[in-house]
Amino acid sequence: MLVLALSAPAYAEDERLAQSRALAGQFAGELMTALQNAMAAAGPADAIEVCGRQAPEIAARLSRLSGAHVSRVSSRFRNPQNAPDAWQLEALERMRAVMSQTPTPPDPATLPERFELDDRGGARYLKAIAIAPLCLTCHGEAVTGEVAGQLDEAYPYDRATGYRLGELRGAFSVDWPAP
């Protein structure tokens, strides 16, 4: 696993790093399970609903349980609520550069992450999300038919298509408030 911006020994000892990794892993696992179930039951139409409705619900539940703000961000977002702030955008660009040098598809265990402490005692974490085969149905280079129509209707300003397998889609984000 490539960790960006973890040069200080205190970072590795900060319990929020392990908690952030666990939250991002739980979010990823729950989201992938929901997407796989939706695709198997009703096809891509339901998968669009999972990302649009269930993903924010998963994030909100994990936020309530942890005390951190859990979300997804992307520089090529479908939902404007997933737009990155300046710190996240810079981290996403660094992650994209790292991932462009790795085999496709990347090993999920080696996806880049970033963890930083702020001056007030808060902490921020990002874990890269790579485009997996399942994601290509709604985010790939050739989104067509009913899926394209549904996306156009639900997301008229969609910036989240045109991806290839293994590319950086975005990141799971965990923001810890200052104590």
Side-chain angles (χ1 to χ4, degrees):
M1 177 176 312
L2 177 64
V3 179
L4 305 172
L6 282 182
S7 56
Y11 287 12
E13 296 172 8
D14 193 301
E15 67 184 38
R16 292 172 296 186
L17 175 56
Q19 292 170 333
S20 296
R21 287 174 171 155
L23 287 165
Q26 185 173 354
F27 194 169
E30 288 185 30
L31 182 56
M32 186 56 76
T33 298
L35 285 168
Q36 290 169 336
N37 290 342
M39 290 287 278
D46 275 13
I48 294 169
E49 175 71 14
V50 167
C51 276
R53 185 182 53 78
Q54 287 184 348
E57 290 172 358
I58 293 168
R61 181 175 44 76
L62 294 174
S63 295
R64 281 190 309 277
L65 292 171
S66 67
H69 179 260
V70 180
S71 63
R72 294 175 301 163
V73 297
S74 178
S75 57
R76 291 172 52 192
F77 51 86
R78 180 159 280 164
N79 180 341
Q81 293 178 346
N82 296 338
D85 63 24
W87 179 86
Q88 292 166 330
L89 183 59
E90 186 271 330
L92 287 168
E93 291 307 317
R94 289 181 65 189
M95 289 175 174
R96 181 173 285 107
V98 167
M99 288 176 65
S100 72
Q101 305 299 314
T102 60
T104 300
D107 176 356
T110 64
L111 291 173
E113 62 182 352
R114 184 165 181 176
F115 180 79
E116 288 186 14
L117 301 175
D118 68 30
D119 295 340
R120 299 165 307 180
R124 301 187 83 180
Y125 174 83
L126 290 178
K127 174 68 174 180
I129 301 170
I131 291 289
L134 180 69
C135 307
L136 292 172
T137 305
C138 299
H139 293 286
E141 294 178 296
V143 178
T144 59
E146 181 185 356
V147 172
Q150 250 188 306
L151 290 173
D152 286 345
E153 185 177 319
Y155 303 101
Y157 303 104
D158 186 7
R159 299 165 58 180
T161 58
Y163 286 97
R164 291 184 304 251
L165 183 66
E167 283 188 304
L168 178 72
R169 169 67 188 96
F172 294 106
S173 174
V174 181
D175 289 324
W176 296 95

